[in-house]
Amino acid sequence: GGTVSILDAELLQDVTFLTGGYPAPYINRTSSVLQVTQREGNRQQFGGWATLGFAGAGAILEGPIQSGKGSWIVSARRSFLDLFTEDIGFGGVPVLYTLNAKAVYDLTPRDRMWVVNLSGKDNIRLGYQDDVEPEDELSTLDIRYAGWRTATGFNWQRLFGARGVGLLGVTHSEAKVGQRVKDLAADGVPPTGPADDAIASSPTVYFEDSREGETTVKYDLTYTFPFVDKVQAGGSFKVFRIDYV
């Protein structure tokens, strides 16, 4: 939800869209694959800047780790349309917070580790309020939504000479959605008076408080043989947690 993407374009290094002929790590995909690579932070010096756009504002900070053996970068943003208006055409304004972060560290000339996180939180309220006109399409409802999602990945890459590379990845993603809808005209009479009083005395006609989580451990090995070209192999183990209410 919200008015800006959970991904900050300033942190993107490369984006590849695959529509078919997937490599071994994506053999179980049935439609398409979007590969997104975040760039590293500055390994030489600390820096940062503010970002400002039509739909949101934020800041980016980056810097080195242990004299250039690694780096980190963080982006935090917030949409701000709600600061200027309470309605962008359908009775409310979504509010979105996002966080993108990446840290990289070179353990040895052959070993590199990195951690990536993408997180977002958004909410919106639609329906009857003190300044809503009675003829408004949503004037008899109170609709509230709040959700968040986060994904974190830890990766360890090791080079095997000049021909092979192994990649161990541990990822965890979590998402939660909460929604509530109240019918303020359930008794056949449109709501009047203070919005808080009308909402408090109205019945709930829809409610959701659901949560999903997934943890994956996988290992991919890529090796180039003479006269055979590239060979890829790997395996993964997944654990799912689902709680629908």
Side-chain angles (χ1 to χ4, degrees):
T3 54
V4 295
S5 169
I6 195 173
L7 290 170
D8 188 344
E10 294 289 341
L11 269 62
L12 298 184
Q13 174 180 311
D14 182 58
V15 178
T16 303
F17 183 64
L18 305 175
T19 59
Y22 310 130
Y26 306 105
I27 194 170
N28 62 336
R29 299 300 189 266
T30 58
S31 57
S32 60
V33 174
L34 181 65
Q35 295 176 316
V36 178
T37 303
Q38 283 190 317
R39 71 175 181 86
E40 292 187 20
N42 193 321
R43 293 196 177 210
Q44 305 302 320
Q45 60 184 1
F46 173 82
W49 64 93
T51 61
L52 179 64
F54 172 74
I60 297 175
L61 299 175
E62 59 182 321
I65 297 177
Q66 197 174 357
S67 302
K69 293 192 67 175
S71 68
W72 60 271
I73 186 168
V74 176
S75 167
R77 295 180 297 160
R78 184 195 189 279
S79 62
F80 56 33
L81 286 178
D82 61 298
L83 303 179
F84 300 97
T85 178
E86 296 181 353
D87 184 356
I88 59 173
F90 48 86
V93 181
V95 180
L96 173 68
Y97 299 86
T98 68
L99 176 69
N100 293 185
K102 182 176 183 178
V104 181
Y105 188 75
D106 296 334
L107 292 172
T108 70
R110 295 193 303 167
D111 296 276
R112 170 176 292 188
M113 301 173 63
W114 65 91
V115 178
V116 178
N117 176 267
L118 301 174
S119 299
K121 178 182 179 181
D122 61 311
N123 63 79
I124 188 171
R125 176 186 175 186
L126 307 174
Y128 183 67
Q129 299 184 50
D130 291 329
D131 56 353
V132 169
E133 298 295 332
E135 63 271 11
D136 190 281
E137 184 177 358
L138 299 176
S139 63
T140 61
L141 298 173
D142 178 64
I143 305 172
R144 305 196 184 205
Y145 164 87
W148 58 263
R149 67 276 314 146
T150 181
T152 303
F154 167 81
N155 299 274
W156 175 19
Q157 177 182 280
R158 182 175 178 83
L159 301 178
F160 299 103
R163 295 182 178 275
V165 56
L167 179 62
L168 172 66
V170 180
T171 62
H172 177 74
S173 61
E174 197 89 16
K176 183 176 181 180
V177 173
Q179 300 183 72
R180 189 199 70 188
V181 180
K182 284 196 169 189
D183 185 355
L184 279 59
D187 57 1
V189 179
T192 58
D196 290 342
D197 294 342
I199 293 171
S201 60
S202 300
T204 299
V205 295
Y206 178 80
F207 176 82
E208 178 184 5
D209 186 16
S210 299
R211 188 165 183 165
E212 298 178 342
E214 176 183 326
T215 302
T216 303
V217 179
K218 69 175 183 176
Y219 186 80
D220 296 317
L221 177 63
T222 302
Y223 205 88
T224 303
F225 292 93
F227 310 111
V228 179
D229 202 7
K230 184 186 296 183
V231 175
Q232 291 182 298
S236 64
F237 176 78
K238 294 179 179 286
V239 176
F240 299 92
R241 289 163 302 281
I242 299 176
D243 183 15
Y244 292 148
V245 178

